[in-house]
């Protein structure tokens, strides 16, 4: 770890521990609340997926038709598992196929494979193709790289290091091992931001040749490109996937679209695997919320108690100071004039002010070490103690010379 990173870590630790850890406690409380909210959403999603029927594409048409015919029976269910368009939450397991290939019966004829995406590098066919190009930069600081740390913190967000393009064609899910006429469901990708079960079909790292300008960049500590990473990911034709979403009839054909309340839409996992994965995440979120919440309560409680005690101590000191000031102002003039007159030997000076003669003895210890004014100030303290033996005193008595 560099010196700058150590300084940043020290500043961050000081900030988190400010006010006896109150900032850290608030941060942990925020994490706990987020975990509990995610746990609630995951629990609701798990319940919906558990109640959703798992069917084949060939059974969708009859299932949706029966639902429309028996709308009174399904009225209570549709309130829990339907969207505004009257769709129903369904889990479909099928095989990816281009929509145009099904409509033109290309699978039967075995010839027409139009309207599919073909990888330029691997030659594989699919319905979703994502190309990503990432520029890899050098991390060396150079001989004059005094500001390299600041550039590494801010300049990276300004610079486009990755470019990505994605193309899709309409596709459907058909029942594996059957002819397309046996049934299919159209996959509607509109509005979906869920992760896709993409397969990497091409991965190549190409080094970038150095130039004289690159040498100058390295000399002064500037980042310079050293490699270019090209990747292609594809949702290939013939891949078995599971679709979890709202299914409805559109123009006589079943169509499924994503549900925003669910973390899955298209996945490699089956229904049982999805439920097991979601149940594990739910347990992790629950225990994370409990652990972080307990830590936050403990740290915030400690910070509140510490700051409350500090405030009470400050208030007591302030009251004692005010009482001392008032006691000093209330000293009779004759006492002050009696103590101030004449020269006082060093052995008879008050041990507190070192200005006036010792006149008052403390009870019960009996030490004669203070003038009457300082003795009154000591008596008015919260826990008065003798300045010599530190024994608790009850009061003081004025001593007169014979």
């Amino acid at each position: 770890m560099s010196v700058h990173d150590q300084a940043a870590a020290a500043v961050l630790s000081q900030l988190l521990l400010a006010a006896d850890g109150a900032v850290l406690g608030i941060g942990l409380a925020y994490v706990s609340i987020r975990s509990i909210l995610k746990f609630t959403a995951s629990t609701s999603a798990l319940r919906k997926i558990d109640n959703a029927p798992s069917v084949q594409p060939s059974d969708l048409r009859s299932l949706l038709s029966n639902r429309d015919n028996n709308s009174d029976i399904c009225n209570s269910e549709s309130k829990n598992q339907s969207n505004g368009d009257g769709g129903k939450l369904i889990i479909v397991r099928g095989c990816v196929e281009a929509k145009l290939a099904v409509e033109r019966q290309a699978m039967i004829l075995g010839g027409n494979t139009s309207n599919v995406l073909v990888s330029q590098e691997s030659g594989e066919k699919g319905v979703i193709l994502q190309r990503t190009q990432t520029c890899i930069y050098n991390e060396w600081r150079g001989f004059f790289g005094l500001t390299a740390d600041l550039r590494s913190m801010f300049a990276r967000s300004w610079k486009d290091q990755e470019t990505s393009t994605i193309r899709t064609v309409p596709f459907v899910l058909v029942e594996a091992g059957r002819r397309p006429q046996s049934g299919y469901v159209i996959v509607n990708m509109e509005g979906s931001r869920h992760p896709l079960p993409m397969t990497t079909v091409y991965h190549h790292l190409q080094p970038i040749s150095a130039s004289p300008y690159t040498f100058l960049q390295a000399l002064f500590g500037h980042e310079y490109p050293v490699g270019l990473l090209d990747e292609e990911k594809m949702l290939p034709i013939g891949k078995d996937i599971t679709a979890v979403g709202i299914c409805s009839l559109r123009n006589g054909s079943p169509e499924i679209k994503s549900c925003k309340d669910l973390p899955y839409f298209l996945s490699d996992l089956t229904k049982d695997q999805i439920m097991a994965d979601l149940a594990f995440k739910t347990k992790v979120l629950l225990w994370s919320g409990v652990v972080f919440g307990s830590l936050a309560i403990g740290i915030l409680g400690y910070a509140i108690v510490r700051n409350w005690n500090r405030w009470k101590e400050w208030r007591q000191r302030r009251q004692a100071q005010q009482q001392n000031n008032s006691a000093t102002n209330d000293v009779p003039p004759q006492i002050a004039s009696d103590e101030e007159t004449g020269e006082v030997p060093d052995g008879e000076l008050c041990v507190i002010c070192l200005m006036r003669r010792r006149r008052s003895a403390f009870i019960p210890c009996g030490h004669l070490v203070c003038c009457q004014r300082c003795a009154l100030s000591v008596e008015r303290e919260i826990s008065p103690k003798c300045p010599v033996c530190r024994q608790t005193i009850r009061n003081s008595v004025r001593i007169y010379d014979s």
Side-chain angles (χ1 to χ4, degrees):
M1 183 181 291
S2 64
V3 178
H4 301 281
D5 294 337
Q6 293 178 357
V11 172
L12 182 61
S13 62
Q14 291 293 333
L15 179 62
L16 292 177
L17 297 177
D20 292 319
V23 177
L24 179 60
I26 294 174
L28 292 175
Y30 173 77
V31 174
S32 175
I33 293 173
R34 288 292 302 271
S35 298
I36 295 299
L37 293 178
K38 290 182 179 181
F39 164 76
T40 305
S42 298
T43 303
S44 176
L46 181 61
R47 184 174 60 253
K48 290 180 180 179
I49 293 177
D50 187 21
N51 296 331
S54 180
V55 299
Q56 297 292 332
S58 58
D59 302 329
L60 282 175
R61 192 181 301 272
S62 60
L63 179 64
L64 296 175
S65 299
N66 292 334
R67 180 181 177 275
D68 294 337
N69 295 332
N70 302 326
S71 57
D72 296 335
I73 299 176
C74 301
N75 188 25
S76 60
E77 181 183 1
S78 62
K79 290 181 180 180
N80 298 326
Q81 294 185 336
S82 65
N83 61 354
D85 299 333
K88 182 179 180 181
L89 181 62
I90 293 178
I91 301 176
V92 183
R93 181 74 177 179
C95 185
V96 177
E97 185 56 63
K99 181 181 178 183
L100 188 60
V102 174
E103 292 177 349
R104 295 183 179 181
Q105 301 181 0
M107 293 183 63
I108 301 176
L109 299 178
N112 187 5
T113 57
S114 59
N115 202 23
V116 296
L117 300 175
V118 181
S119 173
Q120 297 179 357
E121 305 297 338
S122 64
E124 295 192 25
K125 299 174 183 179
V127 292
I128 300 178
L129 179 63
Q130 182 180 11
R131 291 191 179 96
T132 304
Q133 190 175 70
T134 306
C135 189
I136 301 175
Y137 284 84
N138 183 28
E139 298 291 340
W140 186 53
R141 303 175 187 276
F143 295 107
F144 305 100
L146 301 178
T147 60
D149 288 316
L150 295 177
R151 283 199 306 274
S152 63
M153 294 174 60
F154 301 103
R156 293 244 175 165
S157 59
W158 302 337
K159 202 181 301 180
D160 292 330
Q161 294 188 348
E162 180 178 296
T163 58
S164 180
T165 59
I166 185 169
R167 294 174 57 196
T168 62
V169 296
F171 66 98
V172 298
L173 295 182
V174 299
E175 195 162 344
R178 292 193 180 184
R179 302 162 70 92
Q181 290 84 351
S182 63
Y184 64 89
V185 56
I186 301 173
V187 180
N188 188 350
M189 296 291 296
E190 182 180 356
S192 173
R193 297 185 179 274
H194 297 78
L196 299 174
M198 308 283 282
T199 302
T200 302
V201 296
Y202 179 73
H203 181 92
H204 178 66
L205 178 61
Q206 177 183 359
I208 298 178
S209 301
S211 62
Y213 179 68
T214 304
F215 173 75
L216 293 177
Q217 287 179 312
L219 182 64
F220 288 94
H222 292 272
E223 294 179 344
Y224 58 90
V226 295
L228 193 63
L229 178 62
D230 290 328
E231 283 185 317
E232 281 189 353
K233 294 183 179 181
M234 175 177 285
L235 181 59
I237 293 176
K239 183 176 182 179
D240 292 332
I241 62 173
T242 301
V244 183
I246 304 298
C247 192
S248 60
L249 288 176
R250 295 293 178 89
N251 299 325
S253 299
E255 181 184 78
I256 190 169
K257 62 188 301 184
S258 64
C259 181
K260 296 181 180 179
D261 297 335
L262 301 180
Y264 301 94
F265 178 36
L266 303 179
S267 175
D268 294 323
L269 307 176
T270 62
K271 179 181 177 179
D272 295 337
Q273 292 173 338
I274 289 175
M275 291 185 59
D277 182 61
L278 194 56
F280 176 75
K281 293 180 179 179
T282 302
K283 291 180 181 179
V284 172
L285 290 173
L286 174 61
W287 286 109
S288 299
V290 172
V291 171
F292 286 118
S294 302
L295 290 176
I297 292 174
I299 293 175
L300 288 177
Y302 171 78
I304 291 173
V305 171
R306 287 274 298 176
N307 287 280
W308 175 258
N309 292 334
R310 286 182 179 180
W311 180 80
K312 288 198 301 184
E313 291 176 359
W314 174 83
R315 185 178 180 182
Q316 291 174 354
R317 287 197 301 268
R318 186 173 179 84
Q319 291 178 352
Q321 184 179 2
Q322 292 176 354
Q323 291 176 358
N324 292 336
N325 294 335
S326 61
T328 302
N329 296 331
D330 294 341
V331 174
Q334 60 271 20
I335 296 178
S337 60
D338 182 31
E339 292 179 346
E340 295 294 340
T341 56
E343 295 183 0
V344 182
D346 293 340
E348 298 181 5
L349 286 175
C350 173
V351 297
I352 297 179
C353 64
L354 299 176
M355 293 175 56
R356 293 177 288 272
R357 189 185 300 273
R358 303 177 182 180
R359 292 294 187 185
S360 295
F362 293 112
I363 299 175
C365 65
H367 285 114
L368 178 63
V369 291
C370 294
C371 63
Q372 189 174 3
R373 182 178 298 182
C374 293
L376 292 175
S377 299
V378 172
E379 287 183 30
R380 287 183 171 87
E381 291 182 356
I382 299 174
S383 56
K385 294 182 179 180
C386 175
V388 177
C389 63
R390 307 305 298 169
Q391 182 180 351
T392 302
I393 61 175
R394 294 195 298 269
N395 55 9
S396 62
V397 60
R398 175 75 161 82
I399 304 297
Y400 295 91
D401 295 334
S402 58

